[in-house]
Amino acid sequence: LGLSNLEPRLGMNSSYHTLLGLFNINIFNQNLIYLFNVTIFCFFLNLIFSKNFFLKKNDILIFFSTIFILFYSLIHPWNIGTILNNLGSPEVDMISMIFFIICFYLFLDLIYVRNEDNYNLFLITIFLLISFKLSYLYVSFLAFYIFFNCKILIINRTFIILGICFSLWVIKGTLLTGCILFPIEHTCFDFNWSLGKENVEGYYNIIKAFNRTLPENTNFAYFLQNTTSYEWLISWFYDYFLTTEFLIITFIIILFSNLFLFSI
C-alpha cells in the first residue's frame, strides 16, 4: 500500500509509513499523505492550548517545549525554520518529535497520577514512537523506570494487544530486511532475500560516515574506511555543531536546565 511498498528498498520498518500508505489518496490533485502530519501537529497544538497550564510540572514541560518550537520557527531566517519546514513531509522526523514530547509528558504525569488510563496511553505512545523511528528505542528506559521504580506493571488488555502488535512489527521488519532491528548487524540473518550481515554492516557504516562528515561530507570516503576512529569528532564539532543554531540552542537549554536542577 502506497509508501509501505517503499520500505523494502529503503530498509525501513516504520509503522508510520505503513499508516501513511492507507492515506495514499489523491483528492483535488492533492495527496493526503502530505497533509497527515500537519493534521497530527494541529491536534497536538489544540491539545496544548485547550487546557489550563502550570497545574503540574509536566504541563510546564510540554508548554515550554511547544513555545520553543513556535518561537524558533518564528525567528529562523529560512522560511519557517528547520523544524516546521518538515510539515507536509512524509518523513518521520516531525511526527517522532511530537510523540517524543508526548511520551515525556505522559511519563511525568504517570509519576504523579498513577491510574490505568495514563499507563495505557504511556505504553501506546512508547510503542508508536519506537515503531515510527527505531533511533528512539532509548525511551523504553522510561517504561523500565515506571515498572521498577514506581512499581507499576499492569498486564491488561492494552498491554497484551501492544505485545501482539510489537511481535507483528518485529516479524514484518525481519521479513523486509532480514534483521530483527535494522540496521543492527547482530540482529540480522542471512536469508536469501535479505541484504546479509556483511551488507547491513556496510549500510550502517555509510550512515555513520555521512552523519560524521556533515554538512559538506567532504571526508566521507575517509571516515567510511575508518569507522572506529574518533578523528571525525573535532571536524564535526567545528564545521557542524558550531554552525548549526538548533544544536547550540538546545545544548544551552540542556546545560542550564541541568545546572538549575543540580542547584536545587
Side-chain angles (χ1 to χ4, degrees):
L1 288 174
L3 288 178
S4 61
N5 290 331
L6 297 176
E7 295 180 29
R9 294 199 296 272
L10 298 175
M12 299 179 64
N13 183 25
S14 173
S15 60
Y16 180 66
H17 284 164
T18 303
L19 178 63
L20 277 184
L22 300 175
F23 294 88
N24 188 23
I25 304 171
N26 286 302
I27 298 179
F28 301 114
N29 295 323
Q30 179 64 54
N31 198 304
L32 294 185
I33 62 174
Y34 301 111
L35 302 176
F36 191 77
N37 68 358
V38 178
T39 305
I40 298 296
F41 188 69
C42 291
F43 173 79
F44 173 71
L45 291 181
N46 181 71
L47 179 69
I48 303 306
F49 294 108
S50 63
K51 62 181 297 184
N52 296 321
F53 280 97
F54 305 110
L55 300 178
K56 294 178 293 185
K57 293 180 181 179
N58 54 332
D59 290 334
I60 298 174
L61 167 70
I62 199 169
F63 177 78
F64 279 106
S65 298
T66 307
I67 292 299
F68 168 73
I69 294 171
L70 296 177
F71 182 72
Y72 173 81
S73 302
L74 178 65
I75 65 174
H76 199 280
W78 181 46
N79 295 330
I80 55 176
T82 52
I83 301 177
L84 293 187
N85 271 331
N86 287 319
L87 279 174
S89 168
E91 295 302 321
V92 298
D93 294 334
M94 167 68 74
I95 203 72
S96 298
M97 177 199 70
I98 294 173
F99 275 83
F100 180 72
I101 297 173
I102 294 176
C103 183
F104 261 93
Y105 173 81
L106 293 172
F107 169 73
L108 294 176
D109 198 48
L110 192 59
I111 291 176
Y112 296 113
V113 184
R114 300 182 182 181
N115 60 51
E116 192 168 343
D117 289 337
N118 289 350
Y119 174 80
N120 292 337
L121 288 172
F122 176 65
L123 292 182
I124 292 171
T125 305
I126 283 186
F127 167 72
L128 290 175
L129 181 57
I130 294 175
S131 65
F132 283 173
K133 193 171 184 179
L134 186 58
S135 57
Y136 283 93
L137 183 63
Y138 58 85
V139 298
S140 58
F141 287 109
L142 299 180
F144 293 138
Y145 181 89
I146 293 297
F147 295 157
F148 296 108
N149 288 64
C150 299
K151 309 299 182 183
I152 304 175
L153 179 57
I154 305 173
I155 310 298
N156 56 10
R157 183 182 301 175
T158 302
F159 188 93
I160 295 173
I161 292 175
L162 288 178
I164 296 173
C165 291
F166 180 79
S167 300
L168 293 175
W169 177 70
V170 169
I171 292 172
K172 176 195 170 194
T174 305
L175 293 176
L176 287 175
T177 65
C179 303
I180 298 176
L181 297 175
F182 183 88
I184 302 176
E185 175 197 358
H186 303 293
T187 68
C188 297
F189 304 94
D190 290 322
F191 295 132
N192 292 333
W193 68 86
S194 65
L195 290 175
K197 292 184 179 180
E198 183 178 347
N199 290 328
V200 169
E201 182 182 11
Y203 177 82
Y204 182 62
N205 290 335
I206 289 174
I207 296 174
K208 287 198 297 184
F210 179 83
N211 289 325
R212 291 176 178 182
T213 55
L214 291 171
E216 301 297 335
N217 299 118
T218 52
N219 296 319
F220 175 79
Y222 174 76
F223 288 119
L224 182 59
Q225 300 298 322
N226 298 274
T227 55
T228 59
S229 171
Y230 289 94
E231 296 178 49
W232 61 271
L233 191 57
I234 296 178
S235 60
W236 179 89
F237 179 78
Y238 283 104
D239 297 335
Y240 186 64
F241 181 85
L242 293 182
T243 59
T244 306
E245 71 289 335
F246 180 76
L247 295 179
I248 297 174
I249 293 171
T250 51
F251 174 78
I252 293 174
I253 292 175
I254 292 172
L255 177 63
F256 279 96
S257 296
N258 281 284
L259 291 175
F260 175 75
L261 289 175
F262 281 119
S263 68
I264 61 174

